[in-house]
Amino acid sequence: MAGLMAALGISGAAAQTTDTSCYVTGGGTLEICRGGEAEGVFFTPRACESAGSVQLVRTTPATGPLQAVYQAETPLAAPKSRRGETEACAPRRAAEALDGGSIRSGAMPEQLATAMPPTQARLWEMARTVARSQERRRRGGRGRAEAPPAPVPTEEGIAARHPMTVAGRAWGGDAYSYVFFLAAVPTESGQRHALLQARTLDFIRFDIRSRSLDGIAWTPFGEGRAEGRAQERAEGRSRRGRRSRAQAAADAPGPSAVLDETGAPVLGNCAGQGLDRTDLVGAISVVDQVYHYYYTDVLPSDCGAPMASRRMGLYLRTSRDLTADRVWSAPRTIAEPLPAQSLMRVAKARDMDRWVVAYRCNRPANTMDGPVADICVQYSADLAPGSLAGLTWFSEPQAIMRSTAYLGLRSGGDGSGRFGRSQHFWMTDRYGNLATPTSYQAKAGFLTWLDRVAPGPGGANGSSVFGRPVYWATWSVRPVAAK
């Protein structure tokens, strides 16, 4: 116990304190206390920008540069760095199929971990890329065996959403970081979420995982786009060279869903609509050189129910090699049933052999407008995946999502007691395990979340997606005092 207290930076006197605002977790051995934690505004997008699912990644083993990777708006034109952007932008609403469908990233020093760094769009417009590749296969088969089908465009569009970032097998010589993200693809039952994969060495240039006649292919994203053309002009390449580069991009295979050990694509259990779906949304954490992908998805038995009442489950897939032809294991059910639209992030806890889970919840008390949204955090008793099943997630009735394990977040809101706690994520090390900035090294975790209720810049509230601020907060955990 003394070693755990020292690892958490807690004195013996502090551990003896009893606070009625605390709640017990971790199999009765840990407690989290509300209030007194640091909070603030992480990023206020302009009226034409959006942000959510912000994961901060420490890409080196100790302190060093951090990468912010998050879901953002689809670029209307060639993306530009936020630094130096002074021109105004017209307010935007999520009226198009691909809105809210790009992944942005940018680096920052460790000491600036509480503010969004300058970023650029890295992955977007998947639908158009896939459409080209499929049209080529239709036109150019000529008796050849066709490549395995890639996802195809739909009304909603195949946009890059809900990124989850983790390093490759550095212990096996893999220098890449991998970003798994979601796209909407058509199936016989309707549009379902599919898991796609990208890799990068520098979080600037990304390759997309594809499938060709020869097997797995990694296709550079942006080949033949304005970025590539600008580079070619700078290098003085010939017009013929530019045409060759663009033709090579046109011939490249389109992005394909990641496969599991059965050879099936990793797809959400049910068809659905809308941009706020949480099927396949989660996080990836490495323990003992095994990748653990925890995520929420609709229960298959509820596929025929209305979207707003479909119950969810917490699932786990594992992998030992993210570059394998069949990456993930078959899904294992960890906990069910969970309320509709549940969103859970699971990772290895900081300095402890336990899982920690952050999930959407409501406080026990109501305001005049109904339940008060918050984020709940709990710890498992150990690293056995089944130990998560023993947690009490919500009070009855579960559909209201009330819980006593809420953090008591204060930031954001509309000033009347209403808060939005959407698309939360946190800071991790390169292997997806919890980390904190050095300025908060005594804390147990560092959360980010989107507040769709809080006004945007200048009080703007015309869109529930664009211009809405992202906040950050810390939490602390300590051993329960011996009685």
Side-chain angles (χ1 to χ4, degrees):
M1 179 66 73
L4 174 60
M5 291 162 57
L8 296 172
I10 302 168
S11 67
Q16 299 298 321
T17 302
T18 300
D19 190 332
T20 57
S21 68
C22 300
Y23 63 89
V24 176
T25 184
T29 62
L30 302 173
E31 66 179 358
I32 296 174
C33 298
R34 307 179 188 94
E37 294 293 331
E39 295 187 20
V41 177
F42 186 75
F43 176 48
T44 301
R46 299 184 300 169
C48 61
E49 299 172 329
S50 65
S53 296
V54 181
Q55 181 184 5
L56 300 183
V57 185
R58 180 181 285 134
T59 56
T60 55
T63 61
L66 304 180
Q67 284 286 341
V69 183
Y70 66 100
Q71 177 181 327
E73 74 284 353
T74 305
L76 294 175
K80 294 183 286 188
S81 171
R82 297 190 195 285
R83 180 169 294 165
E85 278 191 5
T86 58
E87 70 275 13
C89 64
R92 190 171 168 186
R93 297 182 66 89
E96 297 182 7
L98 292 178
D99 276 347
S102 77
I103 293 173
R104 297 182 73 106
S105 66
M108 61 182 155
E110 177 102 8
Q111 62 268 29
L112 298 179
T114 59
M116 182 71 82
T119 65
Q120 286 189 351
R122 309 299 184 188
L123 305 171
W124 73 98
E125 291 181 348
M126 293 292 158
R128 300 175 194 177
T129 303
V130 174
R132 283 199 302 270
S133 67
Q134 288 203 329
E135 182 62 27
R136 285 193 304 276
R137 280 195 285 273
R138 285 194 295 268
R139 290 198 308 260
R142 296 186 180 179
R144 295 176 299 173
E146 291 202 355
V152 298
T154 68
E155 275 188 15
E156 184 175 318
I158 298 179
R161 298 183 180 124
H162 299 292
M164 300 166 282
T165 303
V166 67
R169 299 172 67 251
W171 57 88
D174 187 353
Y176 283 96
S177 291
Y178 295 88
V179 178
F180 289 86
F181 58 96
L182 304 181
V185 301
T187 66
E188 292 181 358
S189 59
Q191 299 172 15
R192 292 162 67 182
H193 267 172
L195 186 69
L196 275 67
Q197 183 181 8
R199 70 179 186 182
T200 181
L201 292 172
D202 53 13
F203 288 90
I204 297 174
R205 292 168 289 272
F206 286 78
D207 302 327
I208 304 294
R209 184 187 183 107
S210 308
R211 297 190 68 80
S212 68
L213 293 173
D214 299 322
I216 297 173
W218 291 97
T219 305
F221 181 82
E223 291 286 87
R225 295 177 181 268
E227 238 176 49
R229 291 194 295 270
Q231 182 178 356
E232 289 158 359
R233 287 194 295 269
E235 295 173 355
R237 294 182 180 175
S238 67
R239 185 179 300 275
R240 177 178 300 176
R242 290 197 296 271
R243 282 200 303 269
S244 299
R245 183 181 177 91
Q247 184 60 48
D251 292 338
S256 300
V258 176
L259 304 182
D260 68 13
E261 63 187 7
T262 70
V266 178
L267 300 173
N269 288 333
C270 307
Q273 297 285 339
L275 306 182
D276 290 332
R277 296 157 54 188
T278 58
D279 35 317
L280 299 186
V281 180
I284 301 170
S285 189
V286 182
V287 176
D288 295 331
Q289 298 184 1
V290 175
Y291 293 84
H292 295 74
Y293 170 31
Y294 287 96
Y295 62 93
T296 51
D297 201 355
V298 178
L299 298 182
S301 59
D302 281 19
C303 286
M307 290 283 294
S309 60
R310 291 180 179 179
R311 297 170 301 169
M312 309 287 290
L314 177 65
Y315 297 88
L316 169 64
R317 294 177 185 261
T318 59
S319 175
R320 289 191 175 273
D321 185 0
L322 301 184
T323 65
D325 181 67
R326 301 181 178 188
V327 178
W328 295 107
S329 68
R332 169 183 173 183
T333 303
I334 300 299
E336 64 171 0
L338 301 170
Q341 298 300 311
S342 291
L343 172 57
M344 297 186 167
R345 309 279 192 185
V346 180
K348 182 181 179 298
R350 183 169 179 246
D351 299 326
M352 291 184 283
D353 288 336
R354 303 172 184 263
W355 298 112
V356 59
V357 54
Y359 58 100
R360 289 178 178 171
C361 68
N362 293 317
R363 301 176 192 176
N366 282 357
T367 67
M368 293 180 61
D369 294 317
V372 179
D374 213 308
I375 296 174
C376 286
V377 170
Q378 293 201 59
Y379 285 73
S380 66
D382 51 43
L383 279 175
S387 65
L388 288 167
L391 297 177
T392 300
W393 305 102
F394 303 101
S395 305
E396 294 294 341
Q398 288 198 62
I400 304 177
M401 302 180 76
R402 288 196 180 102
S403 174
T404 58
Y406 65 94
L407 291 179
L409 301 173
R410 308 177 303 277
S411 297
D414 64 354
S416 68
R418 295 177 63 241
F419 297 91
R421 314 296 190 194
S422 302
Q423 297 185 25
H424 64 273
F425 220 146
W426 45 31
M427 180 173 167
T428 71
D429 63 17
R430 58 180 175 165
Y431 294 122
N433 303 320
L434 283 194
T436 58
T438 52
S439 54
Y440 293 104
Q441 58 185 350
K443 301 299 182 180
F446 184 94
L447 274 172
T448 65
W449 72 90
L450 165 66
D451 192 331
R452 290 184 169 176
V453 176
N461 58 7
S463 168
S464 65
V465 175
F466 295 97
R468 299 293 180 161
V470 174
Y471 294 88
W472 65 271
T474 62
W475 79 87
S476 301
V477 65
R478 65 189 183 187
V480 173
K483 303 298 184 185

